[in-house]
Amino acid sequence: MLGLQPGSSTVVPTSAPVGHRFEPYDSNGGSIAAVCGKDFCIIASDTRQSTGYSIQTRYKPKVFRLNDKATLATNGFAADAEAMVSRIRQRLEWYRHSHGRSMPLHAIARMISTILYGKRFFPYYVYNILGGLDEEGKGAVYSFDPVGSYEREFCRAAGAAQSLIQPFLDNQIMFKNQHSTPEHTVPKPGEMSLPDVLKIVMDSFTSATERHIEVGDGLEMFVVRTPPSAQGEAIGAASVDLKAMGGVEAVGGEDEQEEGAVMVIRRELKKD
Amino acid sequence: MNYLPGQTWSSQPAQHHHQFASASYNTDPSAHTSQPIVTGTSVIAIRFKDGVMMATDTLASYGSLARFMDIKRIEKVGENTILGASGDMSDWQYVQHTLDKLMLREQNENDGHILSPSQIYAYLARVMYNRRSKMDPIWNSFVLAGVDPKDGSPFLGYVDLLGTTYSASTIATGFGLHLAQPLLRKAVEGREDQIEEEEAKRILEECMKVLFYRDARSLNRFVIATVTKEGSKISEPYSVPTSWGFAEMLRGYGPQTQ
């Protein structure tokens, strides 16, 4: 609306028209985390998708199997995450066609970084955690920010409950603020057994569900390891019977998959 | 002719100084939907034993004016899919046109393949995400429901102007998200495979009544659409009985005229 100032011939705007700019982003809640061990990696997420105070669905996966040695967890704006994952999968397929093998983990990490930075000025609003096995068969976690900064770590949490889960992992996985005594030496990070890490991941999410309104409904834990069949005598992570814990074969991503390479364990979380 | 730097107009006839300066081009900013104008309110949908069921009223509002009282907000897309829309009604009619063209193109292939509900959903979701990425959104929230003609599996999915997608056994848009969704979840979650068609219809009618009571942009005239493996059908518009007895002593609405 325009108003005339008394005694003045010039029109002075007294209030600007109410303009509404389209906001292309949303935040869809939920949390993700990944922890690696000597010969395995666990990549986990809750399965709730929300906007504001509304739960949209109780089951929408945020973790995606890429190939036998790489699994990606996404968090932030769900539509961006999905578009990004389909681009990554297409690039992995092209790589297979031209090189006749799956892209190694460190290369996937660098590729994700460039894909993210490629949209530096209209970013994918997605926090990514890539977990799997490196070329030596060791567990690895790579974490990214939305514009492509990344580093390799032992463990990482991201998303709505990052501030609840990360300090817990720092203490329980990295042994931060723990001190050796004559009776007990603090172990080195990254050497914990698969069942122990699974327990810590489950506790992380049940605790986050208690204290964060955007976390809950369901938990999916992807376990990436050298499958039992590939070894003569099953040792380390390969000797753990995941099927007995309710583990099932993870599907999606590259077709070629070895039985037991990527398995997913599902648990219920509180739905309130 | 002397042009000022950046000058795009002249009182003289156009002089073409170089080959590629075309005679005319529009320098206006292209028009994007910046807000919905004529709008439809909630879409609600649930899964049940034999498939999926969806309801919308027939109103298209112009702000607070009940402008068009007989607008179709659920349409068939092929034989096994239905699509319900809330939000801007001109964008909705554009999407109908787009999907009609898609289905026609696919039919003309005559390759024995028809698009399944999840394939139509994937297409629609990409269209919606692509437009949001151009900062030119299609201002709707859609609910797509169907039954796969091959394996008989039910499908119920949501997609909106941001390209956000999800599936669930109960879905509601707009005001229905706040008013109907809790009722739908209580009635349906965990019993998807036990609910008969009649009960599903009753659940949706109850929710449409609640929405009519409390959503000021709604109408007690709605359609219910059903998809089963036998195909899809959309009912004629109808109403449910309402009771305003509680308002007997209140002024402002109810039986008194003043």
Side-chain angles (χ1 to χ4, degrees):
Chain A
M1 195 193 281
L2 296 173
L4 276 180
Q5 217 149 51
S8 162
S9 59
T10 51
V11 179
V12 180
T14 51
S15 65
V18 182
H20 191 77
R21 239 182 93 77
F22 171 60
E23 169 59 49
Y25 292 113
D26 194 9
S27 179
N28 296 113
S31 246
I32 52 172
V35 181
C36 68
K38 263 185 180 161
D39 56 353
F40 68 92
C41 186
I42 297 174
I43 305 95
S45 80
D46 70 330
T47 64
R48 176 178 292 178
Q49 186 174 106
S50 60
T51 179
Y53 288 132
S54 298
I55 296 171
Q56 292 181 315
T57 180
R58 300 194 191 282
Y59 185 72
K60 173 79 175 285
K62 286 192 280 286
V63 184
F64 306 94
R65 175 191 176 274
L66 298 178
N67 59 41
D68 274 352
K69 289 181 170 154
T71 291
L72 181 66
T74 62
N75 199 239
F77 176 36
D80 271 352
E82 242 171 289
M84 202 199 62
V85 168
S86 55
R87 265 182 73 183
I88 292 168
R89 284 194 168 149
Q90 187 173 49
R91 290 285 295 274
L92 293 178
E93 192 181 323
W94 288 347
Y95 185 99
R96 268 190 81 84
H97 288 149
S98 49
H99 296 90
R101 65 180 176 110
S102 293
M103 194 187 282
L105 194 72
H106 69 93
I108 298 176
R110 175 60 67 87
M111 185 189 73
I112 289 172
S113 171
T114 54
I115 284 176
L116 289 168
Y117 194 79
K119 273 176 66 70
R120 175 63 180 79
F121 298 109
F122 185 22
Y124 285 124
Y125 177 47
V126 181
Y127 289 88
N128 286 292
I129 302 175
L130 176 70
L133 300 175
D134 66 14
E135 283 184 298
E136 292 166 24
K138 291 197 179 102
V141 170
Y142 288 91
S143 70
F144 302 79
D145 81 352
V147 289
S149 299
Y150 77 110
E151 64 176 330
R152 184 173 169 175
E153 298 174 294
F154 286 115
C155 72
R156 170 59 69 186
Q162 180 186 42
S163 59
L164 280 74
I165 299 172
Q166 188 68 54
F168 179 65
L169 297 182
D170 285 344
N171 181 242
Q172 293 295 307
I173 302 291
M174 304 307 287
F175 305 111
K176 292 281 165 64
N177 299 98
Q178 289 196 235
H179 304 282
S180 293
T181 59
E183 298 79 44
H184 176 252
T185 321
V186 173
K188 279 201 291 183
E191 294 187 353
M192 206 180 276
S193 74
L194 173 55
D196 288 350
V197 175
L198 271 173
K199 279 181 205 157
I200 288 169
V201 169
M202 280 190 267
D203 286 349
S204 300
F205 278 88
T206 38
S207 301
T209 302
E210 283 294 325
R211 287 288 184 170
H212 200 113
I213 57 167
E214 291 175 8
V215 180
D217 291 331
L219 171 62
E220 282 192 327
M221 292 170 292
F222 283 65
V223 181
V224 184
R225 56 179 176 167
T226 307
S229 57
Q231 301 180 333
E233 188 192 349
I235 48 158
S239 65
V240 179
D241 187 4
L242 290 178
K243 278 186 187 144
M245 305 169 82
V248 292
E249 213 65 39
V251 291
E254 282 178 23
D255 293 338
E256 195 158 300
Q257 56 180 294
E258 223 177 312
E259 205 182 307
V262 187
M263 296 191 76
V264 54
I265 301 172
R266 298 195 170 87
R267 288 283 182 273
E268 293 287 306
L269 290 172
K270 286 171 76 175
K271 295 178 196 307
D272 54 4
Chain B
M1 177 93 356
N2 287 320
Y3 285 98
L4 295 166
Q7 183 177 327
T8 55
W9 47 265
S10 169
S11 56
Q12 303 292 306
Q15 300 279 311
H16 294 292
H17 295 280
H18 48 85
Q19 203 182 341
F20 300 107
S22 63
S24 70
Y25 54 90
N26 186 12
T27 54
D28 291 345
S30 63
H32 290 174
T33 304
S34 55
Q35 56 171 320
I37 308 294
V38 176
T39 59
T41 184
S42 320
V43 179
I44 57 174
I46 56 172
R47 260 190 56 197
F48 71 104
K49 203 174 129 213
D50 310 318
V52 279
M53 206 179 268
M54 186 190 290
T56 62
D57 65 23
T58 61
L59 179 66
S61 305
Y62 179 70
S64 59
L65 174 70
R67 182 65 182 83
F68 304 104
M69 313 261 264
D70 189 22
I71 291 291
K72 279 189 130 176
R73 296 205 287 121
I74 301 179
E75 283 286 4
K76 285 189 178 194
V77 184
E79 291 307 306
N80 311 290
T81 308
I82 53 169
L83 181 60
S86 57
D88 190 278
M89 288 296 101
S90 55
D91 281 355
W92 157 231
Q93 286 170 6
Y94 162 78
V95 167
Q96 281 180 55
H97 186 72
T98 309
L99 290 177
D100 275 352
K101 283 198 296 184
L102 172 73
M103 297 309 281
L104 191 62
R105 264 198 326 267
E106 288 292 322
Q107 194 171 53
N108 288 344
E109 290 290 331
N110 197 225
D111 54 4
H113 177 73
I114 39 161
L115 292 181
S116 70
S118 61
Q119 290 171 326
I120 298 169
Y121 179 70
Y123 179 90
L124 181 62
R126 294 316 294 248
V127 169
M128 297 298 279
Y129 180 76
N130 186 245
R131 286 287 294 269
R132 90 94 217 190
S133 298
K134 290 177 179 165
M135 293 296 278
D136 184 13
I138 293 173
W139 217 287
N140 295 109
S141 296
F142 292 115
V143 182
L144 190 139
V147 173
D148 193 297
K150 287 219 173 71
D151 60 13
S153 62
F155 183 90
L156 190 52
Y158 166 98
V159 58
D160 65 12
L161 76 169
L162 291 170
T164 307
T165 56
Y166 57 85
S167 290
S169 56
T170 66
I171 290 181
T173 72
F175 232 89
L177 189 63
H178 303 103
L179 289 176
Q181 183 70 293
L183 304 171
L184 294 174
R185 288 204 179 130
K186 199 171 171 186
V188 176
E189 245 175 35
R191 349 183 7 246
E192 291 87 355
D193 301 324
Q194 290 143 244
I195 299 173
E196 300 284 343
E197 189 164 339
E198 265 310 305
E199 189 188 352
K201 191 160 165 264
R202 274 205 307 280
I203 293 168
L204 289 186
E205 283 173 355
E206 178 63 22
C207 287
M208 291 309 283
K209 187 164 79 177
V210 169
L211 283 168
F212 175 60
Y213 278 135
R214 280 296 173 181
D215 178 1
R217 275 86 179 111
S218 71
L219 198 65
N220 188 12
R221 184 172 187 275
F222 55 84
V223 295
I224 289 187
T226 315
V227 193
T228 61
K229 60 179 187 302
E230 273 74 48
S232 61
K233 56 178 192 282
I234 306 175
S235 79
E236 285 302 308
Y238 68 102
S239 304
V240 284
T242 51
S243 55
W244 297 91
F246 66 90
E248 207 76 5
M249 294 300 135
L250 299 175
R251 305 210 77 77
Y253 59 97
Q256 326 88 340
T257 46
Q258 204 31 259

